[in-house]
Amino acid sequence: MPKYHSAAAAEIGRRIRAARQELGVSLEDLGELAEVNWTTIGKIERGASSPTVESLIRIATALEVDPGAFVTGISAAQYGGRPHQLTARDFIAARREQGGTRRTAG
């Protein structure tokens, strides 16, 4: 089992730990305040797991930090295992070049 989930998870965890330590809050106390198990927060801080959006927002709220501060600058490439770097814009442009006009219901 890897020490960390991904470079992105490690960076998000580092940011959370720094915010928590800056306030002098223990993992146990943050867990209680955020209503997230403190062992889960520990795994997130170590980068061993990636937080769910709900956990991220609960932790940020408890620390009085904008949740965006934990993910600013993080890219999909930092999660690894992505076989391509295409975006929706790239996909649409390629489809137009091939003459495809298929649309999906939204």
Side-chain angles (χ1 to χ4, degrees):
M1 185 173 203
K3 281 188 164 187
Y4 65 91
H5 182 271
S6 64
E11 179 58 23
I12 291 167
R14 186 195 65 72
R15 293 174 186 182
I16 290 171
R17 176 178 280 143
R20 178 180 62 77
Q21 289 177 338
E22 185 175 315
L23 292 174
V25 177
S26 71
L27 276 172
E28 292 86 354
D29 288 341
L30 179 56
E32 188 172 330
L33 292 168
E35 297 179 341
V36 174
N37 190 294
W38 70 269
T39 59
T40 298
I41 296 172
K43 290 176 187 176
I44 292 167
E45 286 189 358
R46 290 190 310 276
S49 70
S50 222
T52 65
V53 172
E54 180 179 354
S55 293
L56 188 71
I57 291 172
R58 286 176 178 272
I59 291 166
T61 300
L63 295 172
E64 296 182 315
V65 173
D66 184 310
F70 295 138
V71 297
T72 297
I74 302 291
S75 70
Q78 289 173 284
Y79 283 97
R82 191 169 178 220
H84 62 77
Q85 299 298 313
L86 297 175
T87 64
R89 185 182 313 263
D90 298 332
F91 182 77
I92 292 166
R95 181 179 282 165
R96 284 187 182 139
E97 286 176 15
Q98 293 174 355
T101 58
R102 181 177 60 149
R103 294 181 185 249
T104 59

